[in-house]
Amino acid sequence: MNLQTRLGILGGGQLGKMLALSAGNWHLPVWILDEAGDFPAAPYATTFVKGDFRNYDDVYRFGQMVDVITVEIEHVNTAALAQLEKEGKIVHPSPAQLDMIKDKGLQKQFYAEKGLPSAPFKLYSDEKSVQEALANDAISFPFVQKSRTAGYDGRGVAVIQSAADLPKLLPGACVVEPLVDIAKELSVIVARNENGEIQAFPVVEMDFNPNANLVEWLLCPAQTAPAIEKQAEQLARQTIESFGLCGLLAVELFLTKSGELLINEVAPRPHNSGHHTIESCYTSQFEQHIRAVLNLPLGSTKMKTASVMLNLLGEPGYAGPAYYDGLEACLAMEGVNIHIYGKAQTKPYRKMGHVTVLGATLADAREKAHRVKERLRVLAVGG
Ligand code: ADP
């Protein structure tokens, strides 16, 4: 095994940081491209390169410095990646896969073409054409409108229950889906390497904070019937195979009240719903991504202990230099693993870190996670 392979990561946020920390176990040289040296990943990169991952020249120049290129975010300059790929660089996920995944319209068309289950949908060029479709009865309330390209962490999603919600319609090209009757939101992170080997992590269950539309709790294992678990894992495998993608693919699923599994969306990179794997599985999602993009044997995804992951979000009402209130009390609790991303400034609902709470049982982990949630808060110094 060549431990000199230079791994390049576009993006220096918390996912880049955790990838770099994982690569450190094998002492792999890691190069990271992002705009500022005080971003979370910068201190953990062997070489931090300052630049914009949306800019062609910055990405192209960066790509020439490394052997294998991957991403921690989809919204990168794929034209530069395509050129690098043409010149023989290994790029996982591929620029074509990134282009498809970062456009929710193309993603939905892909599922339809491949026969992968997902909610029915229609595409519109702007909010005016959505209004016209309503007037023509082509769509009806309640529905969900999603920006094709601008979305992130629920910001590009509008739930339209009735005419009263129409002012919430988002501008620009969009996908419209019926409002799904969701029983649970599940996620399966799956990995594939160039050899075609595939491994899926145990199914997790996501609970959302209704105010921020961000995952608040993540339960592993998911509280679902074994048959659903098996079906979810199978669907994730089928999805990554259909994409022919190398690296990680986080497959977000809806379990409907009638027991159907639908793909909501995918992310071709480490994902918030896999952070618990660092402590609760044999292999972390970050190491698995590195194994997959370097075409190494994939690691075991077996669960060691039940866990509950909670995102540490900036407390509403506080903005400024971050202060972690209750950190020491939580560090003293058994099985509580605290990850601080190192973002200097907090603001309401900003992802500042996460905590993975391990337990002998899920109930045990849950009870402790509630205590952590009550005790640990991200405030602002002097604010
Ligand atoms: P993002 O890419 O911003 O995370 P998603 O497409 O995942 O956006 O949507 C965010 C959330 O909105 C989902 O996790 C789910 O709770 C809700 N949602 C999305 N689509 C639907 C739908 N068709 N029916 C009901 N709820 C939905």
Side-chain angles (χ1 to χ4, degrees), residues 169-229:
L169 279 178
L170 305 162
C174 60
V175 177
V176 169
E177 298 176 353
L179 187 72
V180 173
D181 213 2
I182 299 173
K184 282 179 192 285
E185 298 201 30
L186 306 175
S187 167
V188 183
I189 296 181
V190 66
R192 182 177 172 276
N193 64 16
E194 279 173 15
N195 287 344
E197 193 189 342
I198 295 178
Q199 286 281 356
F201 283 96
V203 183
V204 299
E205 182 175 338
M206 302 187 278
D207 257 355
F208 284 77
N209 173 323
N211 298 322
N213 214 353
L214 282 174
V215 175
E216 188 159 50
W217 302 108
L218 192 138
L219 314 179
C220 182
Q223 300 299 281
T224 51
I228 295 289
E229 235 167 86

Short mmCIF file of all heavy atoms in Angstrom, two decimals, residues 169-229:
data_model
loop_
_atom_site.label_atom_id
_atom_site.label_comp_id
_atom_site.label_asym_id
_atom_site.label_seq_id
_atom_site.Cartn_x
_atom_site.Cartn_y
_atom_site.Cartn_z
N LEU A 169 -43.31 30.54 -1.23
CA LEU A 169 -42.72 29.93 -2.44
C LEU A 169 -41.33 30.51 -2.71
O LEU A 169 -41.12 31.71 -2.58
CB LEU A 169 -43.62 30.15 -3.66
CG LEU A 169 -44.82 29.21 -3.83
CD1 LEU A 169 -45.62 29.61 -5.05
CD2 LEU A 169 -44.37 27.75 -3.94
N LEU A 170 -40.41 29.62 -3.08
CA LEU A 170 -39.02 30.05 -3.32
C LEU A 170 -38.85 30.45 -4.78
O LEU A 170 -39.47 29.85 -5.66
CB LEU A 170 -38.07 28.88 -3.01
CG LEU A 170 -38.20 28.28 -1.62
CD1 LEU A 170 -37.56 26.90 -1.57
CD2 LEU A 170 -37.55 29.20 -0.59
N PRO A 171 -37.99 31.43 -5.05
CA PRO A 171 -37.76 31.83 -6.44
C PRO A 171 -36.89 30.80 -7.18
O PRO A 171 -36.19 30.01 -6.53
CB PRO A 171 -37.02 33.16 -6.30
CG PRO A 171 -36.35 33.09 -4.96
CD PRO A 171 -37.20 32.22 -4.09
N GLY A 172 -36.95 30.82 -8.51
CA GLY A 172 -36.02 30.01 -9.31
C GLY A 172 -36.51 28.62 -9.63
O GLY A 172 -37.60 28.19 -9.21
N ALA A 173 -35.68 27.90 -10.40
CA ALA A 173 -36.04 26.55 -10.86
C ALA A 173 -36.21 25.63 -9.66
O ALA A 173 -35.42 25.66 -8.71
CB ALA A 173 -34.94 26.02 -11.77
N CYS A 174 -37.26 24.79 -9.73
CA CYS A 174 -37.57 23.98 -8.54
C CYS A 174 -38.20 22.64 -8.88
O CYS A 174 -38.63 22.39 -10.01
CB CYS A 174 -38.51 24.76 -7.63
SG CYS A 174 -40.07 25.19 -8.41
N VAL A 175 -38.22 21.78 -7.86
CA VAL A 175 -38.90 20.49 -7.90
C VAL A 175 -40.13 20.64 -7.01
O VAL A 175 -40.04 21.23 -5.94
CB VAL A 175 -38.00 19.40 -7.29
CG1 VAL A 175 -38.72 18.06 -7.25
CG2 VAL A 175 -36.67 19.28 -8.01
N VAL A 176 -41.27 20.11 -7.45
CA VAL A 176 -42.45 20.09 -6.59
C VAL A 176 -42.86 18.64 -6.38
O VAL A 176 -42.97 17.86 -7.33
CB VAL A 176 -43.60 20.92 -7.20
CG1 VAL A 176 -44.91 20.68 -6.44
CG2 VAL A 176 -43.25 22.40 -7.17
N GLU A 177 -43.04 18.28 -5.10
CA GLU A 177 -43.45 16.92 -4.74
C GLU A 177 -44.67 17.00 -3.84
O GLU A 177 -44.80 17.97 -3.08
CB GLU A 177 -42.38 16.24 -3.87
CG GLU A 177 -41.04 16.04 -4.48
CD GLU A 177 -40.06 15.46 -3.48
OE1 GLU A 177 -40.36 15.33 -2.27
OE2 GLU A 177 -38.95 15.15 -3.91
N PRO A 178 -45.52 15.98 -3.85
CA PRO A 178 -46.60 15.97 -2.84
C PRO A 178 -45.98 15.85 -1.45
O PRO A 178 -44.87 15.31 -1.30
CB PRO A 178 -47.39 14.71 -3.19
CG PRO A 178 -46.57 13.93 -4.13
CD PRO A 178 -45.54 14.81 -4.72
N LEU A 179 -46.67 16.37 -0.46
CA LEU A 179 -46.21 16.23 0.93
C LEU A 179 -46.35 14.76 1.32
O LEU A 179 -47.46 14.22 1.30
CB LEU A 179 -47.06 17.12 1.84
CG LEU A 179 -46.60 17.21 3.29
CD1 LEU A 179 -45.32 18.03 3.41
CD2 LEU A 179 -47.69 17.82 4.16
N VAL A 180 -45.24 14.14 1.64
CA VAL A 180 -45.25 12.72 1.98
C VAL A 180 -45.68 12.56 3.44
O VAL A 180 -45.25 13.34 4.30
CB VAL A 180 -43.85 12.10 1.76
CG1 VAL A 180 -43.79 10.66 2.26
CG2 VAL A 180 -43.44 12.18 0.29
N ASP A 181 -46.49 11.56 3.71
CA ASP A 181 -46.92 11.27 5.07
C ASP A 181 -45.81 10.46 5.74
O ASP A 181 -45.77 9.23 5.65
CB ASP A 181 -48.23 10.45 4.98
CG ASP A 181 -49.14 10.75 6.14
OD1 ASP A 181 -48.78 11.61 6.96
OD2 ASP A 181 -50.22 10.13 6.21
N ILE A 182 -44.88 11.17 6.38
CA ILE A 182 -43.66 10.53 6.86
C ILE A 182 -43.86 9.94 8.26
O ILE A 182 -44.31 10.63 9.16
CB ILE A 182 -42.49 11.56 6.91
CG1 ILE A 182 -42.21 12.11 5.51
CG2 ILE A 182 -41.24 10.94 7.52
CD1 ILE A 182 -41.19 13.25 5.49
N ALA A 183 -43.50 8.66 8.40
CA ALA A 183 -43.52 8.04 9.74
C ALA A 183 -42.16 8.28 10.39
O ALA A 183 -42.06 8.69 11.53
CB ALA A 183 -43.82 6.56 9.63
N LYS A 184 -41.09 8.05 9.62
CA LYS A 184 -39.73 8.25 10.12
C LYS A 184 -38.83 8.68 8.98
O LYS A 184 -39.05 8.29 7.83
CB LYS A 184 -39.16 6.93 10.67
CG LYS A 184 -39.65 6.56 12.05
CD LYS A 184 -39.03 5.23 12.45
CE LYS A 184 -39.69 4.63 13.69
NZ LYS A 184 -39.35 5.26 14.93
N GLU A 185 -37.78 9.44 9.31
CA GLU A 185 -36.74 9.74 8.33
C GLU A 185 -35.53 8.88 8.70
O GLU A 185 -35.07 8.88 9.85
CB GLU A 185 -36.40 11.22 8.32
CG GLU A 185 -37.61 12.05 7.93
CD GLU A 185 -37.29 13.44 7.43
OE1 GLU A 185 -36.21 13.64 6.84
OE2 GLU A 185 -38.14 14.33 7.63
N LEU A 186 -35.06 8.13 7.71
CA LEU A 186 -33.94 7.20 7.94
C LEU A 186 -32.78 7.59 7.04
O LEU A 186 -32.96 8.30 6.04
CB LEU A 186 -34.38 5.77 7.60
CG LEU A 186 -35.64 5.25 8.29
CD1 LEU A 186 -36.00 3.87 7.75
CD2 LEU A 186 -35.44 5.18 9.80
N SER A 187 -31.60 7.11 7.40
CA SER A 187 -30.45 7.33 6.53
C SER A 187 -29.59 6.08 6.52
O SER A 187 -29.41 5.44 7.56
CB SER A 187 -29.65 8.53 7.05
OG SER A 187 -28.39 8.58 6.43
N VAL A 188 -29.09 5.76 5.34
CA VAL A 188 -28.14 4.65 5.22
C VAL A 188 -26.92 5.18 4.49
O VAL A 188 -27.03 5.70 3.37
CB VAL A 188 -28.72 3.46 4.41
CG1 VAL A 188 -27.71 2.31 4.39
CG2 VAL A 188 -30.03 2.99 5.01
N ILE A 189 -25.78 5.06 5.13
CA ILE A 189 -24.54 5.47 4.47
C ILE A 189 -23.89 4.23 3.90
O ILE A 189 -23.71 3.23 4.60
CB ILE A 189 -23.61 6.20 5.46
CG1 ILE A 189 -24.30 7.50 5.90
CG2 ILE A 189 -22.26 6.50 4.81
CD1 ILE A 189 -23.50 8.35 6.84
N VAL A 190 -23.58 4.32 2.62
CA VAL A 190 -23.07 3.16 1.92
C VAL A 190 -21.78 3.59 1.22
O VAL A 190 -21.62 4.77 0.88
CB VAL A 190 -24.19 2.64 0.96
CG1 VAL A 190 -24.50 3.61 -0.13
CG2 VAL A 190 -23.88 1.30 0.40
N ALA A 191 -20.87 2.64 1.07
CA ALA A 191 -19.60 2.96 0.41
C ALA A 191 -19.33 1.97 -0.70
O ALA A 191 -19.76 0.81 -0.62
CB ALA A 191 -18.46 2.90 1.42
N ARG A 192 -18.64 2.46 -1.72
CA ARG A 192 -18.27 1.58 -2.84
C ARG A 192 -16.86 1.96 -3.29
O ARG A 192 -16.53 3.16 -3.29
CB ARG A 192 -19.28 1.75 -3.99
CG ARG A 192 -19.06 0.87 -5.19
CD ARG A 192 -20.16 1.10 -6.22
NE ARG A 192 -19.86 0.41 -7.45
CZ ARG A 192 -19.08 0.89 -8.41
NH1 ARG A 192 -18.53 2.08 -8.28
NH2 ARG A 192 -18.85 0.19 -9.50
N ASN A 193 -16.05 0.98 -3.65
CA ASN A 193 -14.73 1.30 -4.19
C ASN A 193 -14.64 0.90 -5.67
O ASN A 193 -15.60 0.34 -6.22
CB ASN A 193 -13.61 0.67 -3.35
CG ASN A 193 -13.65 -0.85 -3.36
OD1 ASN A 193 -14.31 -1.45 -4.21
ND2 ASN A 193 -12.94 -1.47 -2.43
N GLU A 194 -13.50 1.19 -6.29
CA GLU A 194 -13.36 0.91 -7.74
C GLU A 194 -13.49 -0.57 -8.05
O GLU A 194 -13.87 -0.94 -9.15
CB GLU A 194 -12.02 1.45 -8.26
CG GLU A 194 -12.05 2.94 -8.55
CD GLU A 194 -10.67 3.50 -8.90
OE1 GLU A 194 -9.74 2.71 -9.18
OE2 GLU A 194 -10.53 4.73 -8.86
N ASN A 195 -13.15 -1.41 -7.09
CA ASN A 195 -13.30 -2.86 -7.31
C ASN A 195 -14.77 -3.29 -7.31
O ASN A 195 -15.07 -4.44 -7.59
CB ASN A 195 -12.58 -3.65 -6.22
CG ASN A 195 -11.07 -3.58 -6.39
OD1 ASN A 195 -10.57 -3.21 -7.46
ND2 ASN A 195 -10.34 -3.92 -5.34
N GLY A 196 -15.65 -2.37 -6.93
CA GLY A 196 -17.08 -2.69 -6.91
C GLY A 196 -17.55 -3.25 -5.58
O GLY A 196 -18.72 -3.63 -5.44
N GLU A 197 -16.64 -3.27 -4.60
CA GLU A 197 -17.03 -3.74 -3.27
C GLU A 197 -17.98 -2.72 -2.65
O GLU A 197 -17.76 -1.51 -2.78
CB GLU A 197 -15.76 -3.87 -2.43
CG GLU A 197 -15.91 -4.62 -1.14
CD GLU A 197 -14.65 -4.51 -0.27
OE1 GLU A 197 -13.56 -4.14 -0.77
OE2 GLU A 197 -14.79 -4.77 0.92
N ILE A 198 -19.01 -3.19 -1.95
CA ILE A 198 -19.99 -2.28 -1.33
C ILE A 198 -20.21 -2.67 0.14
O ILE A 198 -20.31 -3.86 0.45
CB ILE A 198 -21.35 -2.34 -2.07
CG1 ILE A 198 -21.19 -1.80 -3.51
CG2 ILE A 198 -22.43 -1.55 -1.34
CD1 ILE A 198 -22.46 -1.85 -4.34
N GLN A 199 -20.25 -1.67 1.02
CA GLN A 199 -20.56 -1.90 2.43
C GLN A 199 -21.54 -0.84 2.89
O GLN A 199 -21.34 0.34 2.62
CB GLN A 199 -19.29 -1.78 3.30
CG GLN A 199 -18.33 -2.93 3.19
CD GLN A 199 -18.75 -4.14 4.01
OE1 GLN A 199 -19.74 -4.09 4.73
NE2 GLN A 199 -18.00 -5.23 3.88
N ALA A 200 -22.58 -1.25 3.62
CA ALA A 200 -23.56 -0.29 4.15
C ALA A 200 -23.45 -0.23 5.67
O ALA A 200 -23.30 -1.27 6.33
CB ALA A 200 -24.96 -0.69 3.74
N PHE A 201 -23.53 0.97 6.22
CA PHE A 201 -23.58 1.13 7.68
C PHE A 201 -24.99 0.81 8.16
O PHE A 201 -25.95 0.88 7.38
CB PHE A 201 -23.21 2.57 8.07
CG PHE A 201 -21.73 2.85 8.00
CD1 PHE A 201 -21.16 3.43 6.88
CD2 PHE A 201 -20.91 2.50 9.06
CE1 PHE A 201 -19.79 3.68 6.81
CE2 PHE A 201 -19.55 2.74 9.02
CZ PHE A 201 -18.99 3.34 7.89
N PRO A 202 -25.14 0.49 9.46
CA PRO A 202 -26.49 0.24 9.99
C PRO A 202 -27.40 1.44 9.76
O PRO A 202 -26.94 2.59 9.77
CB PRO A 202 -26.25 0.03 11.49
CG PRO A 202 -24.81 -0.33 11.63
CD PRO A 202 -24.09 0.33 10.49
N VAL A 203 -28.67 1.15 9.57
CA VAL A 203 -29.67 2.21 9.32
C VAL A 203 -29.79 3.09 10.57
O VAL A 203 -29.83 2.58 11.68
CB VAL A 203 -31.05 1.57 9.03
CG1 VAL A 203 -32.08 2.64 8.71
CG2 VAL A 203 -30.94 0.56 7.90
N VAL A 204 -29.85 4.39 10.35
CA VAL A 204 -30.06 5.30 11.47
C VAL A 204 -31.36 6.07 11.28
O VAL A 204 -31.87 6.19 10.16
CB VAL A 204 -28.89 6.29 11.66
CG1 VAL A 204 -27.60 5.57 11.95
CG2 VAL A 204 -28.74 7.19 10.45
N GLU A 205 -31.85 6.58 12.40
CA GLU A 205 -33.12 7.30 12.39
C GLU A 205 -32.83 8.76 12.74
O GLU A 205 -32.12 9.03 13.70
CB GLU A 205 -34.00 6.65 13.45
CG GLU A 205 -35.36 7.23 13.56
CD GLU A 205 -36.19 6.42 14.58
OE1 GLU A 205 -35.89 5.24 14.86
OE2 GLU A 205 -37.15 7.00 15.09
N MET A 206 -33.38 9.67 11.95
CA MET A 206 -33.09 11.08 12.16
C MET A 206 -34.31 11.78 12.73
O MET A 206 -35.42 11.60 12.24
CB MET A 206 -32.73 11.74 10.83
CG MET A 206 -31.53 11.10 10.15
SD MET A 206 -31.00 12.00 8.70
CE MET A 206 -32.13 11.39 7.47
N ASP A 207 -34.07 12.60 13.73
CA ASP A 207 -35.14 13.41 14.30
C ASP A 207 -34.80 14.86 14.06
O ASP A 207 -33.70 15.29 14.39
CB ASP A 207 -35.21 13.16 15.81
CG ASP A 207 -36.36 12.26 16.17
OD1 ASP A 207 -37.13 11.91 15.27
OD2 ASP A 207 -36.46 11.92 17.36
N PHE A 208 -35.74 15.62 13.53
CA PHE A 208 -35.43 17.00 13.14
C PHE A 208 -35.88 18.01 14.19
O PHE A 208 -36.90 17.84 14.84
CB PHE A 208 -36.11 17.33 11.80
CG PHE A 208 -35.39 16.72 10.65
CD1 PHE A 208 -35.52 15.37 10.37
CD2 PHE A 208 -34.55 17.49 9.86
CE1 PHE A 208 -34.83 14.79 9.32
CE2 PHE A 208 -33.86 16.92 8.81
CZ PHE A 208 -34.00 15.57 8.53
N ASN A 209 -35.10 19.09 14.31
CA ASN A 209 -35.53 20.24 15.09
C ASN A 209 -36.49 21.03 14.20
O ASN A 209 -36.09 21.52 13.14
CB ASN A 209 -34.30 21.08 15.46
CG ASN A 209 -34.66 22.39 16.12
OD1 ASN A 209 -35.65 23.04 15.78
ND2 ASN A 209 -33.85 22.80 17.08
N PRO A 210 -37.76 21.15 14.60
CA PRO A 210 -38.73 21.77 13.69
C PRO A 210 -38.43 23.24 13.39
O PRO A 210 -38.79 23.73 12.33
CB PRO A 210 -40.06 21.63 14.45
CG PRO A 210 -39.70 21.28 15.85
CD PRO A 210 -38.33 20.72 15.87
N ASN A 211 -37.74 23.93 14.30
CA ASN A 211 -37.44 25.35 14.05
C ASN A 211 -36.32 25.53 13.04
O ASN A 211 -36.38 26.37 12.16
CB ASN A 211 -37.06 26.06 15.35
CG ASN A 211 -38.22 26.03 16.33
OD1 ASN A 211 -39.37 26.17 15.94
ND2 ASN A 211 -37.91 25.82 17.59
N ALA A 212 -35.26 24.73 13.20
CA ALA A 212 -34.08 24.93 12.35
C ALA A 212 -34.07 24.02 11.14
O ALA A 212 -33.28 24.22 10.22
CB ALA A 212 -32.82 24.69 13.18
N ASN A 213 -34.95 23.00 11.10
CA ASN A 213 -34.93 22.01 10.03
C ASN A 213 -33.58 21.33 9.92
O ASN A 213 -33.10 21.03 8.83
CB ASN A 213 -35.35 22.63 8.69
CG ASN A 213 -36.12 21.62 7.85
OD1 ASN A 213 -36.20 20.45 8.22
ND2 ASN A 213 -36.65 22.05 6.73
N LEU A 214 -32.92 21.14 11.07
CA LEU A 214 -31.65 20.42 11.11
C LEU A 214 -31.85 19.17 11.97
O LEU A 214 -32.69 19.17 12.86
CB LEU A 214 -30.58 21.28 11.79
CG LEU A 214 -29.96 22.41 10.98
CD1 LEU A 214 -29.03 23.23 11.86
CD2 LEU A 214 -29.18 21.84 9.79
N VAL A 215 -31.05 18.16 11.67
CA VAL A 215 -31.15 16.92 12.47
C VAL A 215 -30.79 17.26 13.92
O VAL A 215 -29.76 17.84 14.19
CB VAL A 215 -30.17 15.85 11.93
CG1 VAL A 215 -30.19 14.62 12.82
CG2 VAL A 215 -30.52 15.48 10.51
N GLU A 216 -31.66 16.87 14.82
CA GLU A 216 -31.41 17.17 16.23
C GLU A 216 -30.88 15.94 16.96
O GLU A 216 -29.90 16.02 17.68
CB GLU A 216 -32.71 17.64 16.87
CG GLU A 216 -32.51 18.14 18.28
CD GLU A 216 -33.63 19.05 18.72
OE1 GLU A 216 -34.79 18.67 18.57
OE2 GLU A 216 -33.32 20.16 19.21
N TRP A 217 -31.52 14.82 16.77
CA TRP A 217 -31.08 13.55 17.35
C TRP A 217 -30.88 12.56 16.23
O TRP A 217 -31.65 12.55 15.27
CB TRP A 217 -32.17 12.92 18.22
CG TRP A 217 -32.70 13.69 19.35
CD1 TRP A 217 -33.92 14.26 19.43
CD2 TRP A 217 -32.06 13.94 20.59
NE1 TRP A 217 -34.07 14.85 20.65
CE2 TRP A 217 -32.94 14.66 21.39
CE3 TRP A 217 -30.81 13.60 21.12
CZ2 TRP A 217 -32.64 15.08 22.67
CZ3 TRP A 217 -30.51 14.01 22.40
CH2 TRP A 217 -31.41 14.74 23.16
N LEU A 218 -29.92 11.70 16.40
CA LEU A 218 -29.76 10.64 15.44
C LEU A 218 -29.61 9.34 16.22
O LEU A 218 -28.75 9.27 17.10
CB LEU A 218 -28.52 10.94 14.63
CG LEU A 218 -28.39 10.10 13.43
CD1 LEU A 218 -27.93 10.94 12.29
CD2 LEU A 218 -27.43 8.99 13.74
N LEU A 219 -30.46 8.39 15.94
CA LEU A 219 -30.47 7.16 16.73
C LEU A 219 -29.89 6.01 15.94
O LEU A 219 -30.27 5.77 14.78
CB LEU A 219 -31.91 6.80 17.12
CG LEU A 219 -32.80 7.93 17.65
CD1 LEU A 219 -34.20 7.40 17.95
CD2 LEU A 219 -32.19 8.55 18.90
N CYS A 220 -28.96 5.30 16.56
CA CYS A 220 -28.39 4.10 15.93
C CYS A 220 -28.39 2.99 16.94
O CYS A 220 -27.78 3.14 18.00
CB CYS A 220 -26.97 4.39 15.44
SG CYS A 220 -26.25 2.98 14.60
N PRO A 221 -29.06 1.90 16.73
CA PRO A 221 -29.78 1.56 15.50
C PRO A 221 -31.14 2.26 15.43
O PRO A 221 -31.68 2.68 16.44
CB PRO A 221 -29.97 0.05 15.63
CG PRO A 221 -30.04 -0.20 17.10
CD PRO A 221 -29.15 0.81 17.73
N ALA A 222 -31.67 2.35 14.19
CA ALA A 222 -33.02 2.90 13.99
C ALA A 222 -34.03 1.98 14.65
O ALA A 222 -33.82 0.77 14.73
CB ALA A 222 -33.31 3.00 12.50
N GLN A 223 -35.10 2.59 15.14
CA GLN A 223 -36.16 1.79 15.77
C GLN A 223 -37.19 1.40 14.71
O GLN A 223 -38.27 1.99 14.61
CB GLN A 223 -36.81 2.60 16.90
CG GLN A 223 -35.82 2.99 17.98
CD GLN A 223 -35.19 1.78 18.65
OE1 GLN A 223 -35.81 1.16 19.50
NE2 GLN A 223 -33.98 1.42 18.26
N THR A 224 -36.80 0.43 13.88
CA THR A 224 -37.69 -0.02 12.82
C THR A 224 -37.67 -1.55 12.75
O THR A 224 -36.76 -2.18 13.30
CB THR A 224 -37.25 0.49 11.43
OG1 THR A 224 -35.87 0.17 11.28
CG2 THR A 224 -37.42 1.98 11.28
N ALA A 225 -38.65 -2.10 12.08
CA ALA A 225 -38.71 -3.55 11.94
C ALA A 225 -37.51 -4.05 11.15
O ALA A 225 -37.05 -3.36 10.23
CB ALA A 225 -40.01 -3.93 11.23
N PRO A 226 -36.99 -5.24 11.48
CA PRO A 226 -35.83 -5.79 10.75
C PRO A 226 -36.05 -5.84 9.24
O PRO A 226 -35.12 -5.61 8.47
CB PRO A 226 -35.66 -7.20 11.34
CG PRO A 226 -36.33 -7.14 12.67
CD PRO A 226 -37.40 -6.11 12.60
N ALA A 227 -37.29 -6.08 8.82
CA ALA A 227 -37.56 -6.17 7.37
C ALA A 227 -37.35 -4.81 6.71
O ALA A 227 -36.83 -4.73 5.58
CB ALA A 227 -38.99 -6.66 7.14
N ILE A 228 -37.72 -3.74 7.39
CA ILE A 228 -37.54 -2.38 6.86
C ILE A 228 -36.05 -2.06 6.78
O ILE A 228 -35.56 -1.49 5.80
CB ILE A 228 -38.27 -1.34 7.75
CG1 ILE A 228 -39.78 -1.56 7.72
CG2 ILE A 228 -37.89 0.09 7.37
CD1 ILE A 228 -40.46 -1.18 6.42
N GLU A 229 -35.34 -2.45 7.84
CA GLU A 229 -33.90 -2.22 7.88
C GLU A 229 -33.21 -2.88 6.69
O GLU A 229 -32.39 -2.27 6.01
CB GLU A 229 -33.35 -2.88 9.16
CG GLU A 229 -32.58 -1.95 10.05
CD GLU A 229 -32.38 -2.61 11.39
OE1 GLU A 229 -31.42 -3.37 11.53
OE2 GLU A 229 -33.24 -2.39 12.28
#
